[in-house]
């Protein structure tokens, strides 16, 4: 009976999924309208959109950043009292929370145009074997490591084919509306269910690019190192062309300089276990400089059912060597405790002797009376 009622209500009001898609549809229309306008831009102008977006975000957050810096400098002054310092740090925490909310606001504002930039870049890589633009410092650095990026004078040439996980791929994908919807859903922090072949890897490029613009880093979490390395190499040229750096933590040894640099990239791919173990290792270091991870900002979890349900059944456990095992603290504290006990005995004995003298003197005075 309940199923019949639910089916009847769905026919009248539509399913939850259909209502969500209907609410997203106007944003899809905005993306496609912006996409049509971008076709007339030169390659340099298209790439310049990344810097334009970053500047808009920077200006939107400027008041928060200025106030946070001001309070941080005041909190570090030597003559400030501890209670006042605590008040300042509480205020800084509130400002940082407000800053995060402001990031969400400005990203939502630029979402249609940012998604359109990624779609237009994908179209140009699909329709052209070579894309030529003015070379940047990032292009020059990448050209040393990658054969599909070449420097010719003051220009850079991006090929539309490159190596990913040991195989050559030719970029031939442009986002359909269903993939734009998927990108919006992921940016909203929801789960997007897609069948094999519907372009999950392509969908992820949209929210990844958008959230990387905030400059706080984006993590793409997947289930095994093959997928992490493949997807990072597959999508990297699109992001690189737009001025963003990409790396994969699974390509570097744990707590190495390479892995530390991977976390500094705009976009960081990796497996759920490696992200988790790096978090645990960072909580065991003796100095902040030894930590590899930074403030967590935005993450997309691939194969979310496997990562958060199946793999989550096995806890991540990490341990470090202890010189004397469980007895370590005993040997550290034993000399101090012995010294404390000796001092207590000495003081107690002195008090006891003094008490006996006073008692004896008191009895002697009473006898004489």
């Amino acid at each position: 009976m309940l199923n019949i009622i639910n089916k009847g209500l769905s026919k009248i009001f539509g399913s939850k999924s259909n209502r969500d898609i209907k609410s997203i549809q106007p944003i899809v229309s905005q993306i496609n309208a912006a996409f049509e306008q971008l076709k007339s831009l030169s390659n340099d102008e298209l790439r310049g959109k990344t810097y334009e977006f970053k500047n808009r975000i920077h200006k939107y957050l400027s008041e928060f950043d200025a106030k946070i810096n001001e309070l941080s400098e005041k909190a570090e002054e030597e003559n400030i009292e501890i209670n006042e310092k605590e008040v300042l740090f509480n205020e800084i925490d509130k400002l940082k929370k407000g800053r995060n909310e402001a990031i969400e606001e400005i990203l939502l504002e630029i979402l249609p145009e940012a998604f359109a930039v990624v779609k237009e870049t994908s179209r140009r890589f699909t329709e052209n074997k070579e894309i030529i633009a003015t070379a940047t410092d990032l292009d020059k650095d990448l050209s040393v490591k990658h054969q599909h990026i070449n420097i010719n004078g003051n220009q850079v040439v991006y090929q539309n084919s490159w190596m990913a996980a040991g195989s050559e791929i030719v970029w031939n994908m442009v986002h359909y509306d269903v993939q734009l919807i998927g990108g919006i859903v992921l940016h909203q922090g929801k789960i997007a269910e897609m069948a094999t072949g519907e372009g999950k890897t392509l969908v992820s490029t949209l929210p990844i690019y958008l959230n990387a613009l905030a400059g706080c880093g984006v993590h793409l979490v997947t289930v095994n190192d093959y997928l992490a390395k493949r997807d990072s190499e597959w999508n990297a040229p699109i992001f690189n062309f737009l001025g963003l750096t990409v790396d994969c933590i699974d390509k570097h040894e744990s707590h190495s300089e390479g892995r530390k640099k991977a976390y500094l990239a705009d976009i960081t791919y990796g497996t759920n276990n490696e992200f988790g173990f790096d978090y645990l290792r960072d909580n065991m270091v003796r100095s902040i400089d030894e930590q590899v991870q930074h403030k967590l900002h935005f993450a997309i979890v691939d194969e979310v059912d496997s990562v958060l349900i199946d793999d989550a059944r096995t806890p991540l456990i990490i341990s470090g060597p202890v010189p004397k095992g469980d007895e370590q603290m005993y040997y550290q504290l034993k000399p101090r405790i012995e010294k404390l006990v000796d001092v207590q005995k000495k003081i107690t004995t002195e008090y006891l002797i003094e008490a006996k003298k006073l008692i004896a003197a008191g009895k002697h005075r009473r006898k004489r009376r």
Side-chain angles (χ1 to χ4, degrees), residues 21 25 67 77 131 175 201 233 242 260 337 358:
I21 292 174
Q25 200 61 50
K67 191 63 177 177
E77 293 177 1
I131 302 179
H175 305 76
T201 303
E233 294 169 355
L242 293 171
K260 199 169 186 178
I337 299 300
L358 292 173

Side-chain angles (χ1 to χ4, degrees), residues 3-132:
N3 288 335
I4 296 174
I5 295 173
N6 287 334
K7 288 180 180 179
L9 291 173
S10 296
K11 287 181 180 179
I12 298 171
F13 300 105
S15 66
K16 175 66 166 61
S17 177
N18 290 336
R19 292 196 300 272
D20 288 343
I21 292 174
K22 188 176 181 180
S23 67
I24 289 173
Q25 200 61 50
I27 304 176
V28 174
S29 299
Q30 293 175 23
I31 296 170
N32 287 326
F35 170 68
E36 292 299 324
Q37 294 176 358
L38 292 174
K39 290 181 179 180
S40 61
L41 298 184
S42 67
N43 290 332
D44 285 345
E45 289 172 332
L46 181 63
R47 300 177 88 190
K49 283 292 181 180
T50 296
Y51 302 101
E52 178 187 321
F53 294 145
K54 286 185 175 182
N55 287 333
R56 286 172 60 181
I57 294 170
H58 176 72
K59 289 180 181 178
Y60 197 83
L61 302 175
S62 59
E63 291 186 10
F64 285 99
D65 292 335
K67 191 63 177 177
I68 290 171
N69 291 334
E70 179 187 340
L71 294 180
S72 297
E73 290 176 2
K74 189 174 181 180
E76 295 301 323
E77 293 177 1
E78 295 181 359
N79 58 347
I80 192 169
E81 295 183 0
I82 187 67
N83 292 335
E84 187 178 354
K85 182 175 287 192
E86 184 178 356
V87 172
L88 289 172
F89 280 128
N90 288 334
E91 185 63 26
I92 290 171
D93 289 340
K94 290 180 182 178
L95 287 169
K96 287 182 177 179
K97 184 178 180 180
R99 186 182 189 275
N100 289 336
E101 293 173 354
I103 289 176
E104 292 300 316
E105 294 171 1
I106 186 61
L107 290 183
L108 197 60
E109 183 180 313
I110 67 176
L111 184 150
E113 195 171 358
F115 277 29
V117 166
V118 179
K119 182 175 179 178
E120 173 60 15
T121 303
S122 298
R123 184 192 67 81
R124 296 191 187 193
F125 270 83
T126 299
E127 296 179 359
N128 301 280
K129 290 185 177 181
E130 294 182 349
I131 302 179
I132 302 173

